[in-house]
Amino acid sequence: MNLIAQTRQDALSLFQKVGLPNKRDEDWKYTDASHLEDLLEIGGSNSAINAQSLGMVGLDAYRMVFTNGLFDESQSSLPEGVSIVSLAALEASVSNESSEALAKLFQVSRDEPLFSGLTALNAAVASDGAAVCLADSSVLDKPLYILHISNQNNAVRHGLMLGENAQAHVIEHFISTGEDKALSNCATVVILKSGASLEHSRLQQEGEKQSHIARVEVKQCRDSSYTFHGVELGASLSRTDLVVSLSEQGASCELNGLFVLDGRQHVDHHTRVDHQAPHCTSRESYRTVLDGRSHAVFNGKVVVHEGAIKTDSSQSNGNLLLSKYAEIDTKPELEIYNDDVKCAHGATVGQLDDKQLFYLRSRGISQEAAQELLTFAFADEVLAAMSNHAVRLYVEKAAFAKLPHGADLDGFMG
Amino acid sequence: MLVIKDLHVSVDGKKILKGLSLTINAGEVHAIMGPNGAGKSTLSNVIAGRDGYEVTSGSISYKDEDLLEMNPEERAWNGVFLAFQYPVEIPGVNNTYLLKAGVNAKRKHQGLDELDAFDFMSVVKEKAQLVELDASFLSRSVNEGFSGGEKKRNEIFQMAVLEPDLALLDETDSGLDIDALRIVAGGVNKLRSADRAIVMITHYQRLLDYIEPDFVHVLADGKIQKTGDKSLALKLEEQGYDWVQENL
């Protein structure tokens, strides 16, 4: 057995040992994963799904399409001369000597923050993924758009490795076309070398019976920068674990999240930022708009390790409840083992502001339109950090389509 | 245009206005002055339709209709405008969008076609000059990060764009330095017209040096206690509100 196969076998053994997370785990207190039991076997068939009219049509980007977790080359378009390939193809072709590096991509350990059985399961069973390896100082001239379409259980594992001073923008988009219950179990492993810079957007828009599990692991070297935009609109259950290690001096990350939920949707993001070196910066801003009987969970933990002097960390979480049955559990956590740091966090839960509503109405905007406008404005603020205008516009339209509205809101953004 | 008769208003069960009567005609500029707590802001909020003000008796008719039956947006469509004492910041909502939505909602109510974006922008740019507001303000979020003076200028700019028939200026002069006051007052003066009534609510006489009123009313203890011309304001400035209280 080669090293990669061995590593994945170990992951499977680990999953078999620990099983699915349950509510006795502190990190899974609010999210019930027990019903995923029946959805763990990933679908084997690569039933072709035509992606032509799906996702961000016409986006000026390189494109990778995964159908049911398998790379579909015929629907993809990749740049020449840059190393962006299918992980499965890479795994099949890699020589024994160089398999060590690739095997690392599948290594999991119980000691990692926010580890769960699902983390191990993904490493064990992921059928494919994007292997992106940018050379030092290379700049991907267009965003890489990774579209995932599924109609059955699937698991992908992406590796994004950016060399020194390399730059890229990667957009992951998840949609499903099936009617039945299914699970997408996804992981993205990011390694940023010194001075590298990655903008990473994740838009989850799967069907209403779908469950979506994701883990994003980011390791940052000196002066690297990572910007995350996590947008949750779809699925009945969605859980993301986002783990960022600022492991060398001067690294910075910005984590933005937006959930727009209704019905009985349940979305849970656990984020963990480890400040392990001096002079690192983390900025985190999550917003939720909750209607119906939806339930959101946000847990943001920042750990400032010994020696991480001049840490600058801030975190905010704003929640707008549109219905009296909607629910939010929010918990910012700070652990500081060091003096000489600047850390701030805060969370708000509320309804629309009466003063703002009256102001808009006094200018002739109807009550209904004023409510919509304020709701959209609240949600949109967190999208302002998206650098790609076309992507932001797509996300805005998709997010706003989920809210009850009738007014013409073209061009309202501040 | 506006006829207020024997108006009684309570806030949280506390009586604030106690039988206020006032008549305002088109083309007139009125100043309502009074000590703190007299009910000045209550009056402007009741006219604009803010929640939380209970009208226990009396009436307000506006253009021969019952104003109190209209919700705030209907009042705006019918030409009522309040320049806020404390303009609200609305992050994420573009200033121009707010005005365009407001103008078009009013036009729709009047049975007119919506203004197209090009026509609207030329109107807006012209009006922005009235209060020397930089064009960059148009693309910013409503009042967000504006200084006190900028907020007040923005209120008068909105008034210029929305072209109300009845404009209430609630303490528009407060918090302004002398230069900003001159700019704001200059804007208001250019908006005076034969079809428009303007009501200035203020604690100080200072504003009236720049915007000359046709009538000055003294509001104290929930009622109009005295009505006169500009000289009444000067007398107040000289003798203070105690003079009114003593003569009650």
Side-chain angles (χ1 to χ4, degrees):
Chain A
M1 197 183 276
N2 75 22
L3 192 59
I4 298 170
Q6 184 60 53
T7 307
R8 302 189 70 175
Q9 182 61 45
D10 292 347
L12 188 62
S13 307
L14 184 55
F15 169 69
Q16 282 159 350
K17 202 162 137 194
V18 300
L20 284 173
N22 62 54
K23 290 200 160 193
R24 285 192 303 276
D25 297 326
E26 184 61 28
D27 290 335
W28 289 79
K29 202 166 134 188
Y30 299 109
T31 297
D32 182 6
S34 62
H35 67 281
L36 300 179
E37 191 71 55
D38 304 329
L39 305 173
L40 298 180
E41 193 137 327
I42 62 168
S45 72
N46 184 8
S47 56
I49 304 170
N50 189 338
Q52 206 111 63
S53 59
L54 298 174
M56 300 182 198
V57 176
L59 182 70
D60 184 21
Y62 300 115
R63 192 176 161 92
M64 278 184 114
V65 174
F66 288 84
T67 50
N68 287 321
L70 292 167
F71 180 52
D72 185 342
E73 195 174 1
S74 67
Q75 305 200 68
S76 300
S77 63
L78 290 171
E80 281 174 32
V82 177
S83 177
I84 301 178
V85 295
S86 143
L87 186 62
L90 189 63
E91 209 182 326
S93 69
V94 77
S95 66
N96 269 339
E97 298 84 69
S98 54
S99 67
E100 200 175 324
L102 196 56
K104 275 195 182 144
L105 190 61
F106 294 98
Q107 257 170 20
V108 288
S109 152
R110 296 184 77 156
D111 304 328
E112 286 168 35
L114 296 171
F115 169 86
S116 81
L118 289 157
T119 313
L121 185 66
N122 175 281
V125 304
S127 54
D128 206 340
V132 177
C133 190
L134 293 189
D136 290 352
S137 301
S138 63
V139 176
L140 200 57
D141 60 338
K142 284 191 229 180
L144 171 63
Y145 174 60
I146 307 177
L147 176 61
H148 309 74
I149 311 167
S150 64
N151 57 18
Q152 51 188 274
N153 298 334
N154 66 92
V156 291
R157 192 170 181 87
H158 303 306
L160 312 176
M161 265 82 56
L162 271 63
E164 286 182 16
N165 299 313
Q167 286 177 33
H169 180 190
V170 175
I171 301 139
E172 294 187 58
H173 190 185
F174 299 85
I175 51 183
S176 67
T177 59
E179 299 285 317
D180 300 327
K181 285 184 180 172
L183 168 66
S184 299
N185 184 353
C186 319
T188 306
V189 177
V190 177
I191 296 170
L192 302 180
K193 297 287 190 193
S194 298
S197 161
L198 175 68
E199 181 172 345
H200 181 200
S201 308
R202 256 187 130 264
L203 170 59
Q204 189 278 107
Q205 238 185 332
E206 292 186 333
E208 55 182 11
K209 287 188 177 169
Q210 196 78 19
S211 295
H212 185 94
I213 299 290
R215 182 177 176 89
V216 178
E217 273 173 37
V218 186
K219 284 226 158 27
Q220 294 191 239
C221 299
R222 194 183 170 112
D223 298 328
S224 63
S225 100
Y226 175 72
T227 304
F228 175 79
H229 310 286
V231 181
E232 297 279 356
L233 305 177
S236 64
L237 169 83
S238 179
R239 160 76 182 228
T240 294
D241 293 313
L242 172 57
V243 181
V244 181
S245 306
L246 300 167
S247 54
E248 289 180 11
Q249 188 161 324
S252 65
C253 70
E254 181 184 336
L255 314 177
N256 303 302
L258 173 64
F259 309 169
V260 181
L261 310 179
D262 55 18
R264 291 181 175 274
Q265 286 186 290
H266 179 104
V267 173
D268 176 349
H269 274 218
H270 271 60
T271 69
R272 159 96 180 222
V273 178
D274 282 278
H275 279 264
Q276 292 161 328
H279 297 281
C280 291
T281 305
S282 61
R283 295 273 173 271
E284 186 164 16
S285 172
Y286 264 74
R287 292 206 167 176
T288 75
V289 179
L290 308 176
D291 204 353
R293 292 175 180 274
S294 60
H295 185 187
V297 181
F298 171 72
N299 182 294
K301 187 169 185 172
V302 175
V303 182
V304 181
H305 294 258
E306 224 172 296
I309 55 157
K310 304 286 181 196
T311 285
D312 182 355
S313 169
S314 70
Q315 187 186 76
S316 74
N317 170 227
N319 304 283
L320 188 57
L321 303 184
L322 301 181
S323 138
K324 61 179 173 177
Y325 301 109
E327 204 180 324
I328 168 78
D329 288 289
T330 173
K331 189 177 179 190
E333 287 184 81
L334 259 176
E335 281 178 24
I336 305 175
Y337 301 99
N338 188 21
D339 293 334
D340 198 11
V341 298
K342 202 167 93 186
C343 294
H345 64 77
T348 60
V349 179
Q351 284 86 36
L352 294 171
D353 183 311
D354 282 340
K355 284 185 186 144
Q356 293 180 338
L357 272 175
F358 177 65
Y359 191 86
L360 293 173
R361 293 177 75 189
S362 79
R363 297 303 180 247
I365 294 172
S366 72
Q367 180 171 18
E368 198 186 29
Q371 285 167 340
E372 290 162 10
L373 190 55
L374 291 177
T375 305
F376 292 177
F378 173 82
D380 195 56
E381 267 203 292
V382 87
L383 301 178
M386 291 188 135
S387 71
N388 185 297
H389 187 69
V391 174
R392 179 177 172 187
L393 216 58
Y394 182 93
V395 172
E396 280 171 351
K397 281 194 177 152
F400 300 165
K402 285 209 67 184
L403 292 162
H405 68 281
D408 171 18
L409 291 161
D410 231 17
F412 79 89
M413 280 86 71
Chain B
M1 182 181 291
L2 185 77
V3 181
I4 303 175
K5 279 188 187 153
D6 194 30
L7 190 69
H8 292 254
V9 176
S10 297
V11 180
D12 295 330
K14 194 182 169 206
K15 289 178 185 172
I16 308 287
L17 297 184
K18 306 165 187 171
L20 183 142
S21 296
L22 183 65
T23 298
I24 289 163
N25 297 307
E28 295 173 353
V29 174
H30 292 243
I32 297 177
M33 303 182 68
N36 291 327
K40 300 194 300 291
S41 283
T42 297
L43 178 63
S44 61
N45 282 321
V46 167
I47 296 172
R50 188 177 218 137
D51 277 347
Y53 296 85
E54 195 196 345
V55 177
T56 51
S57 69
S59 66
I60 305 180
S61 101
Y62 171 69
K63 295 184 186 171
D64 298 324
E65 285 187 60
D66 184 355
L67 187 74
L68 297 172
E69 284 298 305
M70 299 181 204
N71 64 34
E73 54 270 34
E74 286 168 337
R75 297 179 198 206
W77 300 337
N78 284 296
V80 175
F81 178 88
L82 170 63
F84 283 64
Q85 182 179 6
Y86 303 110
V88 185
E89 296 194 9
I90 312 182
V93 176
N94 179 301
N95 233 347
T96 307
Y97 176 84
L98 165 69
L99 286 170
K100 192 164 169 232
V103 166
N104 281 332
K106 186 175 174 183
R107 289 180 67 90
K108 199 174 159 193
H109 177 78
Q110 293 168 331
L112 299 170
D113 285 341
E114 294 192 350
L115 282 181
D116 74 38
F118 185 79
D119 290 342
F120 179 74
M121 279 317 288
S122 56
V123 170
V124 154
K125 283 189 177 145
E126 180 202 317
K127 308 276 175 157
Q129 287 174 357
L130 214 59
V131 283
E132 300 175 30
L133 207 55
D134 192 87
S136 68
F137 278 78
L138 300 174
S139 55
R140 284 169 59 180
S141 288
V142 177
N143 293 321
E144 191 185 28
F146 288 22
S147 70
E150 286 165 347
K151 283 180 183 167
K152 295 296 176 78
R153 271 153 70 187
N154 196 31
E155 293 295 289
I156 302 308
F157 162 61
Q158 293 186 7
M159 172 181 162
V161 174
L162 293 168
E163 300 184 322
D165 300 320
L166 172 65
L168 308 158
L169 313 184
D170 191 0
E171 309 259 356
T172 295
D173 52 331
S174 68
L176 292 185
D177 63 34
I178 201 73
D179 291 328
L181 181 65
R182 196 176 291 130
I183 291 168
V184 164
V188 173
N189 280 328
K190 284 177 210 147
L191 294 171
R192 290 178 81 146
S193 85
D195 329 314
R196 180 172 291 146
I198 296 175
V199 179
M200 298 181 286
I201 291 158
T202 179
H203 189 78
Y204 302 104
Q205 192 271 338
R206 183 174 78 144
L207 179 66
L208 310 186
D209 290 339
Y210 296 90
I211 309 170
E212 198 171 315
D214 302 306
F215 300 93
V216 173
H217 310 276
V218 180
L219 173 59
D221 195 30
K223 279 186 191 178
I224 300 292
Q225 305 288 358
K226 254 190 185 340
T227 293
D229 59 13
K230 204 186 160 202
S231 61
L232 179 59
L234 291 169
K235 190 158 186 184
L236 278 174
E237 181 84 349
E238 245 168 59
Q239 311 200 4
Y241 287 109
D242 290 345
W243 163 74
V244 184
Q245 311 273 24
E246 282 159 18
N247 287 284
L248 278 184

